[in-house]
Amino acid sequence: SYGCVETVSTFITEPPLLTLTTQPVNENCDNQDGSILLFANGGQGSYLYDIGQGQTPENIFTNLEAGTYFATVTDENSCTSVSVATIENEAPPTAEAEDSALISCDEETINLDGSGSSSGNNIIYSWETLTGNIVSGEYPIVDQTGTYTLFVYNLETGCQSSVDVIVTGDLNAPESEAGEDAILSCSTTSVTLDGSNSSQGNDIEYLWINEDGEEISTQNNVDVDLPGTYGLIVSNSTNGCSASSYVEV
């Protein structure tokens, strides 16, 4: 009622500007081993960090694949700051080869070819097997069935890739059965050599030869009128395997 006045002064302060910086570490060889380290400054109190996986007080994120990440930091006043982090990938080299190959009587050894793989002065190759046999060569010659693995190394990045080649075998020989020995006489001036108990099929071929190695028939039986030793060679035209048997007349 007397017109008295009291004045009070209040100071309003503002915390430093909240900022966020990122430190990405690239993914290596498609291993999803990239990471991002976040650094917050300013703001008020403790921080919560998020790169799209949910908020956490931890400022390091691991086991990340290549890509672009939007990182956010939030302080106790719910102020936020956003920064972008990009993780790149050191891609592994390409290992490329035919996934299967076949050894047969026609091809007792084969070459494995990895020429479709990555190349360059920083690339080295290695063929290995635990179940087969490598005879020799950068494009290896192999002579046994088994699993062969091509390893391709990038000396600059340390990345490695591999591919398996399964070598199978078709080495089954047909059966050759020239039949029983036969006797020529004055009354029996010719005999039929019978190979009908040999293997049969569309891919089976027959060849009768005399003891001089001359061809006398391509059927599974043949009539002969001279004494001697006769051979029946039975061949599989698919895999090149063959078998022989002999009969005495």
Side-chain angles (χ1 to χ4, degrees):
S1 60
Y2 295 103
C4 297
V5 176
E6 181 180 1
T7 301
V8 178
S9 296
T10 301
F11 293 95
I12 300 175
T13 61
E14 182 179 4
L17 179 67
L18 179 62
T19 62
L20 179 66
T21 57
T22 64
Q23 181 178 315
V25 175
N26 288 337
E27 179 185 7
N28 188 48
C29 310
D30 289 341
N31 288 327
Q32 294 187 354
D33 57 356
S35 63
I36 298 175
L37 185 60
L38 303 181
F39 299 95
N41 284 292
Q44 181 70 41
S46 59
Y47 305 117
L48 291 175
Y49 302 93
D50 187 8
I51 61 168
Q53 301 175 348
Q55 289 186 328
T56 174
E58 301 295 330
N59 70 330
I60 185 169
F61 298 85
T62 59
N63 300 321
L64 302 178
E65 62 183 12
T68 299
Y69 295 82
F70 293 90
T72 303
V73 61
T74 304
D75 68 5
E76 290 183 352
N77 290 332
S78 297
C79 296
T80 61
S81 180
V82 178
S83 184
V84 177
T86 300
I87 294 178
E88 297 180 351
N89 178 41
E90 294 286 358
T94 299
E96 184 175 313
E98 294 291 336
D99 57 4
S100 63
L102 179 69
I103 289 176
S104 67
C105 295
D106 273 339
E107 289 187 278
E108 296 181 350
T109 62
I110 57 175
N111 285 90
L112 303 182
D113 185 2
S115 59
S117 303
S118 298
S119 61
N121 294 331
N122 58 319
I123 300 296
I124 61 173
Y125 313 92
S126 175
W127 284 93
E128 299 179 13
T129 181
L130 296 176
T131 56
N133 182 60
I134 297 175
V135 178
S136 64
E138 178 180 352
Y139 301 107
I141 299 172
V142 304
D143 62 359
Q144 291 183 16
T145 61
T147 299
Y148 296 81
T149 303
L150 169 62
F151 294 95
V152 182
Y153 303 89
N154 185 320
L155 296 175
E156 292 181 356
T157 65
C159 294
Q160 168 187 304
S161 295
S162 65
V163 62
D164 288 338
V165 179
I166 307 299
V167 176
T168 58
D170 184 1
L171 302 171
N172 294 320
E175 293 185 7
S176 175
E177 178 53 65
E180 297 182 357
D181 293 343
I183 298 176
L184 295 173
S185 66
C186 294
S187 60
T188 305
T189 58
S190 69
V191 293
T192 299
L193 305 182
D194 185 6
S196 61
N197 288 328
S198 302
S199 296
Q200 300 185 34
N202 293 333
D203 56 355
I204 298 298
E205 299 173 349
Y206 308 96
L207 178 63
W208 284 97
I209 60 174
N210 60 24
E211 59 187 11
D212 294 325
E214 298 170 332
E215 300 178 7
I216 59 175
S217 178
T218 57
Q219 304 299 313
N220 65 0
N221 57 68
V222 61
D223 294 331
V224 298
D225 57 6
L226 294 174
T229 301
Y230 294 87
L232 172 60
I233 303 172
V234 181
S235 302
N236 184 319
S237 60
T238 299
N239 64 14
C241 297
S242 63
S244 302
S245 60
Y246 299 88
V247 61
E248 291 289 339
V249 174

